[in-house]
Amino acid sequence: MNREWFLIDDEGIHPLDMTKEPENFWDRFDGGVDDAPWPPFNQVAVDASPAKTVEALHNTAPGLGVDLEDVSTLPERWAGGIVVAEAGALTVVGEPGVDLEERVMALRWTEALLGELGCDGAFFGYDPEAGTLHLTVFSDGRAEFAWCDSLRPGPSYAMVFDDEGKCREEDPRRFALRMLEMPETSPLLDRYRFVWSNLERLGLDVVSPEMEEFPIAAVIGSQVVRQMGQGDS
């Protein structure tokens, strides 16, 4: 006996060809379209005062081959600088107006900064070239997890760290769905909601890629005097 199968949804009734190979579930996510609510950027949010954050930036910069100069009182030199701003109880550090590939505030510096401060924080951002969202969450100065997801060929991973710094790798989309308390087989992952939910948990109420919504506490000029090694991001 031949059986015919149909899919019923909001668009009507559709016959199913059961002779075809099963569809790869995760391909459903890769539509090649990104709603992109953010421009390209990256930022660091830390649960520390601006003054302590500036001090920690100066303490960690030499080990990364970066010279810093406080230009807070020289607005004509703010363009291209590292901006330290107040975001409620948090401090946000970013480089508004600077191309991603030219920014010095990267994950390696964030790890050093959070380690120096010993506080909670996050490094996050968006790169439209591959539709890449990334988020690394820190607790008491140590990375809890690093997550990155791309719509087009690009980096995609979830790395979860234990108290000893050992890493467990997971599928980034299943990881995000689980953290959102959704079934890991759900096709309805909202990547931005995942990033938002973690930033809100940290205490960041607003994501402002160009930082225009935050009161500026300090601006620091930077100059790379020694290139970071390969693998820095």
Side-chain angles (χ1 to χ4, degrees):
M1 180 177 65
N2 293 328
R3 293 184 177 179
E4 293 187 16
W5 296 84
F6 297 88
L7 172 66
I8 302 175
D9 58 22
D10 292 340
E11 297 179 358
I13 302 175
H14 315 280
L16 296 179
D17 185 355
M18 301 303 293
T19 64
K20 291 183 178 179
E21 290 293 323
E23 177 188 10
N24 183 340
F25 169 78
W26 295 108
D27 286 345
R28 300 181 192 177
F29 290 104
D30 298 325
V33 178
D34 190 4
D35 50 0
W38 297 324
F41 82 107
N42 61 25
Q43 283 178 8
V44 183
V46 297
D47 188 13
S49 69
K52 288 185 177 179
T53 302
V54 169
E55 181 181 3
L57 286 169
H58 282 280
N59 289 343
T60 53
L64 297 165
V66 180
D67 277 347
L68 298 182
E69 179 186 4
D70 193 325
V71 295
S72 301
T73 60
L74 303 170
E76 67 274 12
R77 295 182 57 186
W78 286 9
I82 299 171
V83 175
V84 180
E86 299 177 19
L90 304 181
T91 297
V92 172
V93 182
E95 297 170 84
V98 179
D99 291 341
L100 281 179
E101 60 272 14
E102 297 178 2
R103 296 190 175 200
V104 294
M105 282 305 304
L107 181 57
R108 184 182 176 191
W109 197 348
T110 301
E111 291 171 340
L113 178 67
L114 267 296
E116 175 80 10
L117 291 168
C119 66
D120 296 348
F123 177 67
F124 57 97
Y126 172 70
D127 183 353
E129 186 170 340
T132 302
L133 279 172
H134 68 84
L135 170 70
T136 303
V137 171
F138 295 81
S139 177
D140 295 330
R142 298 176 126 186
E144 283 191 349
F145 70 84
W147 178 89
C148 187
D149 181 80
S150 300
L151 293 180
R152 293 173 286 280
S156 292
Y157 56 81
M159 296 185 294
V160 184
F161 303 94
D162 62 20
D163 292 339
E164 298 178 353
K166 295 180 180 177
C167 174
R168 180 182 78 254
E169 293 192 26
E170 296 191 28
D171 179 278
R173 295 179 179 181
R174 291 188 176 99
F175 175 80
L177 286 165
R178 188 171 69 251
M179 286 200 70
L180 289 171
E181 298 182 348
M182 297 176 64
E184 293 184 14
T185 55
S186 172
L188 303 176
L189 173 62
D190 184 335
R191 304 186 314 151
Y192 298 95
R193 180 187 163 204
F194 169 70
V195 174
W196 257 114
S197 66
N198 281 280
L199 296 177
E200 288 178 334
R201 190 176 299 118
L202 178 64
L204 187 64
D205 296 327
V206 176
V207 174
S208 180
E210 297 302 320
M211 303 182 70
E212 67 275 6
E213 298 188 44
F214 301 138
I216 295 176
V219 181
I220 304 171
S222 65
Q223 180 180 2
V224 178
V225 295
R226 175 173 54 81
Q227 293 294 326
M228 299 181 189
Q230 290 185 350
D232 299 329
S233 57

